[in-house]
């Protein structure tokens, strides 16, 4: 059985009168890629920065492998590495110097630091930029420098705050592979994102946070299945009408919409029902030209749960 | 005015001029500080200059030429302002959110605070080393022990000043307010010290707060300590002797270092100024 990497217990964080996170409870298990999904200002970054001991909880606590961020912050910091949303460097800093210093701080000897920095910079395509000053780097390259810090550190818990924001599409795919590799090597990865495609592509489990509160949590399929009749079985059939008997049978599965020779049935767990639907068509001698099962997107899940559109909120 | 063009042009010029006049009301603090400095200069420091001119200086410097007296004072003043600016780098980092990265690093915060204070102080010493070399060359100082002690006490002084700046930065959390405070403290501390005026001269002005401020001022202590190292005869000027100065310098540096560590370790939390 997997152990808890991070346990968030009744965590509240206030800045003056503003409540950024309100009584959050969450468990993240070892070797998961866990996503915090929510629009900007939902409390994702505040939660991540508190796990990294950069913020202190107003109330409640967070435990990393059983160590409290309030009482054992130093122990927690040795377990956690973070790639910030905004790259942390002064405009005159050079990536190579910055990463070598970081490697030394996280415990590498000078010769090992040089080796690992080169390795990671080459992996992320940063080597040619090593001696440029930060202001000369593109937004995407700066983000890669942030990610490089975590890859060098190889922490037990890696926190990545919007790791691929400002990164071009090709590099995004490469970075997602790097993140998965990090997980495969034994690191628990927590990603904050408002990119649904990224969340679906990388995360095994997702928590939806909105206005400082946890709204839902589960695997992607669990979240999608949480929308009542959120799946759509779309069938294109031969002919202009289907027999009434078949229509009545299909209605038992869910609401039906028809448009010329296309029929849509709104069902739960569409992947399980689709074979029954095909069977019904066959028994009624109606030929299916095309059939597909559409799942709701995470955007649909977010809208269903919060009543808001993720894209608009972000 | 009969010429309408001339009248129109004049109106435009006055309107353009009002742009700068309008800004004046947003610079009340700046104006108040200027007035305060001028008043202080006229009422307090001018008296010290007047005293130096009317009485002759040698009696108040233990026979040390004022030029030499001034050289070690101005070096201390430079060391002070460089320490302030090195410490202020942390304020810039705070502004850019880099403090969040530093707070997340897997090291003890007390060690990090010590490292930062030491780093800022050492870089101050390195930065001001050529200036020290120029001053010591003019003064023809070649005694190794004097130079070594000068460097050690310059470092202690810088540690105290950097610790103080860090504390200010962390506590105030506002770039504008820090700028104003650092500017005000900088102007006051250098003036209310023995950088330019020997302690007996300050005493002779008859302004007790000025004398007490100069006596308590770390800049006075370092500049006088350096003077004693280079010109042992200056020792005669220091009524309290040199031991209290040594104790003061050690306590000053360690005191602010410990307070900065304590603050960094227990109270500091990110959430940048922006």
């Amino acid at each position: 059985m997997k152990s808890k990497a991070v346990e968030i217990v009744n965590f509240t964080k206030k800045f003056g009168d503003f409540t950024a996170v309100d009584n959050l409870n969450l468990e993240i298990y070892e070797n998961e890629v866990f996503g915090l999904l929510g629009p900007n200002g939902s409390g994702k970054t505040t939660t991540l920065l508190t796990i990294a001991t950069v913020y202190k909880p107003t109330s409640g606590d967070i435990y990393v492998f059983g160590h409290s961020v309030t009482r054992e912050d130093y122990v927690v910091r040795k377990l956690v590495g973070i790639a910030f949303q905004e790259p942390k460097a002064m405009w005159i800093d050079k990536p190579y110097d910055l990463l070598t210093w970081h490697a030394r701080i996280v415990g590498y000897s000078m010769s090992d630091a040089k080796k690992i920095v080169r390795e990671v910079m080459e992996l992320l395509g940063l080597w040619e930029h090593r001696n440029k000053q930060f202001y000369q780097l593109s937004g995407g390259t700066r983000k890669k420098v942030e990610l490089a810090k975590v890859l060098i550190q190889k922490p037990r818990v890696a926190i990545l705050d919007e790791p691929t924001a400002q990164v071009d599409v090709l590099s995004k795919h490469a970075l997602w592979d790097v993140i998965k590799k990090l997980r495969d090597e034994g690191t628990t990865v927590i990603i904050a994102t408002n990119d649904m495609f990224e969340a679906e592509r990388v995360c095994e489990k997702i928590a939806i946070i909105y206005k400082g509160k946890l709204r839902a949590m589960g695997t992607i399929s669990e979240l999608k299945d949480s929308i009542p009749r959120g799946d759509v079985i779309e069938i294109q059939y031969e002919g202009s009408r289907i027999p009434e008997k078949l229509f009545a049978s299909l209605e038992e599965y869910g609401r039906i919409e028809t448009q010329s020779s296309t029929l849509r049935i709104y069902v739960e767990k569409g992947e399980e029902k689709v074979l029954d639907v095909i069977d019904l068509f066959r028994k009624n001698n109606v030929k299916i030209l095309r059939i597909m099962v559409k799942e709701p997107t995470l955007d649909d899940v977010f809208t269903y749960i919060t009543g808001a559109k993720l894209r608009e909120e972000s | 005015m009969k010429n309408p063009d001339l009248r129109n042009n004049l109106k435009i010029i006055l309107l353009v001029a009002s742009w700068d006049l309008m800004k004046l009301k947003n610079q009340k603090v700046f104006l108040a500080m200027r007035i305060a400095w001028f008043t202080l200069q006229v009422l307090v420091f001018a008296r010290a200059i007047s005293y130096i001119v009317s009485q002759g200086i040698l009696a108040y410097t233990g026979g040390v030429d004022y030029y030499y007296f001034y050289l070690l004072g101005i070096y201390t003043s430079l060391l002070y302002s460089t320490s302030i600016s090195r410490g202020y780098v942390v304020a810039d980092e705070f502004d850019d959110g880099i403090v969040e990265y530093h707070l997340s690093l897997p090291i003890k915060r007390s060690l990090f605070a010590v490292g930062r204070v030491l780093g800022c102080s050492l870089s101050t010493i390195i930065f001001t080393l050529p200036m020290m070399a120029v001053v010591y060359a003019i003064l023809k100082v070649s005694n190794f022990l004097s130079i070594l002690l000068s460097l050690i006490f310059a470092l202690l002084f810088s540690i105290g000043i950097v610790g103080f700046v860090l504390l200010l930065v962390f506590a105030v959390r506002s770039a504008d307010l820090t700028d104003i405070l650092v500017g005000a403290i900088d102007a006051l501390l250098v003036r209310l010290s023995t950088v330019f005026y020997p302690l007996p001269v300050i005493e002779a002005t008859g302004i007790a707060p000025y004398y007490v401020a100069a006596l308590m001022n770390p800049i006075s202590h370092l500049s006088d300590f350096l003077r004693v190292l280079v010109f042992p005869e200056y020792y005669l000027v220091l009524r309290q002797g040199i031991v209290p100065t040594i104790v003061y310098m050690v306590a000053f540096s360690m005191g602010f270092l410990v307070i900065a560590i304590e603050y960094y370790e227990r109270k500091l939390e990110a959430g940048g100024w922006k």
Side-chain angles (χ1 to χ4, degrees), chain A residues 5-68:
Chain A
V6 176
E7 188 180 10
I8 301 175
V9 183
N10 300 329
F11 166 58
T12 296
K13 180 65 187 174
K14 291 183 178 183
F15 297 101
D17 294 334
F18 174 69
T19 304
V21 182
D22 189 6
N23 201 35
L24 184 66
N25 287 281
L26 211 60
E27 286 170 0
I28 299 167
Y29 288 89
E30 204 174 0
N31 263 35
E32 266 179 0
V33 179
F34 190 94
L36 289 180
L37 187 70
N40 296 337
S42 59
K44 304 186 301 284
T45 299
T46 303
T47 304
L48 295 186
L49 290 182
T50 313
I51 297 172
T53 78
V54 173
Y55 288 142
K56 297 176 199 296
T58 306
S59 62
D61 208 342
I62 297 176
Y63 301 91
V64 178
F65 287 105
H67 300 284
S68 154

Side-chain angles (χ1 to χ4, degrees), chain A residues 112 117 163 176 178 190 206 222 260:
Chain A
D112 286 346
V117 167
W176 290 335
V178 166
I190 308 172
I206 282 173
E222 280 169 354
S260 61

Side-chain angles (χ1 to χ4, degrees), chain A residues 13 49 52-56 73-74 77-78 80 82 84 88-90 101-102 105-106 149 153, chain B residues 92-93 96-98 100-109 112 265-271:
Chain A
K13 180 65 187 174
L49 290 182
T53 78
V54 173
Y55 288 142
K56 297 176 199 296
D73 58 324
Y74 169 56
R77 280 198 296 281
K78 288 207 283 188
V80 174
I82 179 166
F84 291 90
K88 303 295 182 192
M90 301 292 270
W101 184 81
H102 184 80
I105 286 283
V106 301
K149 288 179 188 168
Q153 189 174 343
Chain B
D92 281 340
E93 290 176 353
D96 286 351
I98 293 171
E100 291 175 357
Y101 166 55
H102 288 157
L103 287 172
S104 74
L105 290 169
I107 44 178
K108 283 188 176 165
R109 290 202 176 138
F112 190 82
E265 191 165 67
R266 296 197 192 281
K267 293 200 174 167
L268 185 62
E269 187 180 24

Side-chain angles (χ1 to χ4, degrees), chain A residues 225-240:
Chain A
D225 288 344
S226 71
I227 301 181
R229 297 182 176 172
D231 289 359
V232 181
I233 301 174
E234 192 176 284
I235 310 134
Q236 198 181 350
Y237 53 88
E238 200 173 63
S240 55

Side-chain angles (χ1 to χ4, degrees), chain A residues 103-263:
Chain A
R104 297 283 286 129
I105 286 283
V106 301
Y108 288 92
S109 68
M110 193 59 196
S111 58
D112 286 346
K114 283 180 178 174
K115 206 172 131 196
I116 186 82
V117 167
R118 178 163 192 158
E119 211 172 273
V120 169
M121 287 188 99
E122 282 178 345
L123 175 74
L124 297 176
L126 287 171
W127 188 244
E128 62 181 296
H129 303 293
R130 64 191 179 280
N131 287 323
K132 286 183 185 167
Q133 288 181 316
F134 238 72
Y135 76 94
Q136 295 171 304
L137 305 177
S138 67
T141 309
R142 290 179 195 186
K143 290 291 287 188
K144 285 182 187 174
V145 175
E146 271 305 304
L147 185 61
K149 288 179 188 168
V150 170
L151 297 182
I152 288 167
Q153 189 174 343
K154 294 179 184 161
R156 286 187 72 189
V157 177
I159 295 171
L160 312 176
D161 197 354
E162 300 192 11
T164 59
Q166 300 176 55
V167 173
D168 63 83
V169 179
L170 277 178
S171 297
K172 267 186 187 187
H173 285 267
L175 291 185
W176 290 335
D177 289 343
V178 166
I179 291 166
K180 284 178 185 168
K181 191 168 169 270
L182 190 67
R183 187 266 325 270
D184 293 343
E185 288 169 358
T187 296
T188 305
V189 182
I190 308 172
I191 296 178
T193 186
N194 53 33
D195 179 341
M196 292 152 296
F197 187 62
E198 176 168 86
E200 289 212 53
R201 188 69 201 261
V202 188
C203 303
E204 289 148 346
K205 224 179 207 179
I206 282 173
I208 292 176
I209 297 184
Y210 185 59
K211 293 187 175 171
K213 283 180 183 284
L214 177 69
R215 305 298 170 132
M217 189 178 73
T219 62
I220 288 164
S221 61
E222 280 169 354
L223 288 173
K224 287 180 175 177
D225 288 344
S226 71
I227 301 181
R229 297 182 176 172
D231 289 359
V232 181
I233 301 174
E234 192 176 284
I235 310 134
Q236 198 181 350
Y237 53 88
E238 200 173 63
S240 55
R241 295 193 59 184
I242 55 168
E244 279 185 18
K245 191 180 155 201
L246 173 59
F247 194 89
S249 304
L250 291 172
E251 266 189 327
E252 286 173 19
Y253 289 98
R255 186 168 61 88
I256 296 177
E257 277 179 13
T258 54
Q259 193 182 11
S260 61
S261 56
T262 301
L263 184 134

Side-chain angles (χ1 to χ4, degrees), chain B residues 152-197:
Chain B
I152 290 170
F153 276 81
L155 184 66
L156 280 177
F157 171 81
S158 185
I159 285 172
I161 298 293
V162 170
F164 167 72
V165 175
L166 293 197
L167 199 63
L168 198 69
V169 167
F170 297 152
V172 171
R173 282 174 174 249
S174 152
D176 290 343
L177 193 55
T178 306
D179 268 344
I180 292 171
L181 281 174
V182 165
I185 292 166
D186 185 272
L188 272 176
L189 270 185
V190 173
R191 282 181 175 83
L192 296 173
S193 73
T194 60
V195 161
F196 302 119
Y197 320 111

